[in-house]
Amino acid sequence: MERSLSMELVRVTEAAALACGRWMGRGQKEEADQAATEAMRDVFDTIPMKGTVVIGEGEMDEAPMLYIGETLGNGFGPRVDVAVDPVEGTNIVAKGTWNALAVLGVADNGHLLHAPDMYMDKIAVGPESVGLVDIDAPVKANIAAVAKARGKDPEDIVVAILNRQRHEKLIDDVREAGSRIKLMDDGDVAAAINTAFEDTGIDMMIGSGGAPEGVLAAIGLKCLGGDFQGKLLPEDDAQLKRCQEMGIEDVNNVLRMSDLVSGDDAIFAATGITDGELLRGIQYKGTSGTTQSLVMRAKSGTVRFVDGKHELKKKPDFVIRP
């Protein structure tokens, strides 16, 4: 992949965030998602690449969302797999709470897991803890390993967990280990990425969530030198068959970073829609808007924070008022 592709992809997430941000707190998550999707698609058409969506928002018959198998880019440049979530946290935007992102990841063609739309058990940690955690190990053991790696006591560790009834025992286990918990209503991609940035205060993310979001999180952590492990959780025979069609014969096998994002290169880009620990959300003032984005490339290890100021009257196609 060309190094210039990194900055081109930031334009895509910026457009999605600017289009979606107008819907913050309005209680209309579908409208927010559609606004972001349309903006993403418009800007993708200008990007020099031959992209195919392998992580998207459904199959072709669910358009107008970005669907699995859709081609993106202007037809020139590298052939890449694309993982995309125009709004990671539609409920967050609808409520106006923390950590909604416009996010995407790309890798060389054939190098991203085509994750089915089902649940995945997950564990995510930053660079210091690579190789020290095991998704099959007890929670207490993983917390102790992360604490030692980060030079902390277990009582200092903060674990991010989605606030779901299915996580009641997990929450109890973390509390029994003496660690602190940050419960999230939504947005586990942001939580996973936050483990690699000390200023966010998040040391580890655990629990089950969407498998497509797991691949996006793995792309980001690959760029940051972190670690991610997952196990698919099919709920019925149809989902189990889907796993087998993907070549995953034993769903009890752990999916490691090399399974989720193979090869030595990947690019991750995200723009804040609402404020979060890592990125500021969209701000509007008259005919201008400001964005804060993160873009990273695994091959070079480069991590960039990009602040943008946008003249919205010059971008009428994707900045639409509700």
Side-chain angles (χ1 to χ4, degrees):
M1 293 185 290
E2 299 291 334
R3 70 178 66 182
S4 59
L5 188 59
S6 297
M7 298 308 297
E8 291 282 359
L9 292 173
V10 172
R11 295 174 48 233
V12 179
T13 57
E14 285 177 341
L18 284 166
C20 176
R22 291 289 190 190
W23 298 91
M24 188 182 79
R26 294 177 178 267
Q28 296 172 283
K29 65 179 185 179
E30 290 84 4
E31 290 82 354
D33 199 23
Q34 184 168 346
T37 298
E38 291 175 354
M40 264 198 172
R41 187 176 274 132
D42 285 347
V43 181
F44 262 128
D45 286 345
T46 71
I47 304 299
M49 69 180 195
K50 302 172 186 174
T52 302
V53 177
V54 299
I55 299 291
E57 297 187 292
E59 308 295 340
M60 185 174 180
D61 60 0
E62 297 179 36
M65 301 310 177
L66 289 158
Y67 57 85
I68 296 169
E70 181 172 358
T71 58
L72 298 172
N74 65 8
F76 300 94
R79 191 176 299 277
V80 296
D81 287 349
V82 181
V84 60
D85 196 346
V87 184
E88 210 278 306
T90 53
N91 287 321
I92 296 174
V93 175
K95 296 175 184 178
T97 53
W98 279 58
N99 280 320
L101 301 174
V103 59
L104 65 87
V106 303
D108 291 320
N109 184 48
H111 286 245
L112 292 183
L113 177 72
H114 295 212
D117 190 7
M118 64 179 66
Y119 283 121
M120 173 188 280
D121 199 17
K122 311 174 186 179
I123 184 168
V125 292
E128 303 96 330
S129 305
V130 171
L132 301 178
V133 297
D134 184 344
I135 197 169
D136 289 328
V139 169
K140 188 174 183 179
N142 283 325
I143 287 174
V146 171
K148 183 176 180 180
R150 304 200 78 166
K152 297 182 176 183
D153 295 325
E155 293 79 9
D156 302 329
I157 295 296
V158 176
V159 182
I161 306 173
L162 279 172
N163 189 11
R164 300 290 188 270
Q165 186 174 359
R166 63 182 182 267
H167 289 151
E168 284 183 359
K169 184 181 184 307
L170 189 60
I171 291 168
D172 288 343
D173 288 345
V174 174
R175 288 172 175 165
E176 186 176 333
S179 297
R180 299 178 293 159
I181 297 173
K182 184 158 193 174
L183 291 175
M184 312 167 289
D185 288 333
D186 293 283
D188 63 353
V189 173
I193 299 302
N194 284 346
T195 64
F197 292 93
E198 190 166 348
D199 290 347
T200 67
I202 306 297
D203 298 289
M204 178 167 54
M205 189 276 289
I206 54 176
S208 60
E213 289 81 1
V215 176
L216 276 164
I219 297 169
L221 285 170
K222 184 180 183 75
C223 295
L224 289 161
D227 198 8
F228 184 97
Q229 298 172 22
K231 293 178 73 172
L232 292 173
L233 301 171
E235 297 181 303
D236 52 37
D237 288 342
Q239 289 190 353
L240 185 59
K241 183 180 179 181
R242 187 84 182 269
C243 294
Q244 293 169 345
E245 290 171 349
M246 294 166 49
I248 301 173
E249 295 295 334
D250 187 353
V251 295
N252 293 313
N253 287 339
V254 176
L255 296 170
R256 302 188 184 277
M257 188 72 81
S258 59
D259 301 308
L260 299 160
V261 193
S262 59
D264 65 352
D265 204 5
I267 297 171
F268 177 94
T271 300
I273 300 172
T274 63
D275 287 339
E277 294 91 350
L278 189 61
L279 295 173
R280 295 192 307 273
I282 300 296
Q283 299 291 327
Y284 301 100
K285 185 176 181 180
T287 61
S288 67
T290 59
T291 57
Q292 187 174 49
S293 304
L294 169 68
V295 60
M296 311 179 287
R297 187 180 181 194
K299 193 169 188 176
S300 64
T302 302
V303 178
R304 289 187 175 94
F305 287 88
V306 182
D307 291 328
K309 182 176 181 181
H310 309 265
E311 291 301 322
L312 304 183
K313 60 185 177 182
K314 296 182 179 181
K315 302 178 180 182
D317 290 340
F318 61 81
V319 183
I320 302 170
R321 292 179 182 271

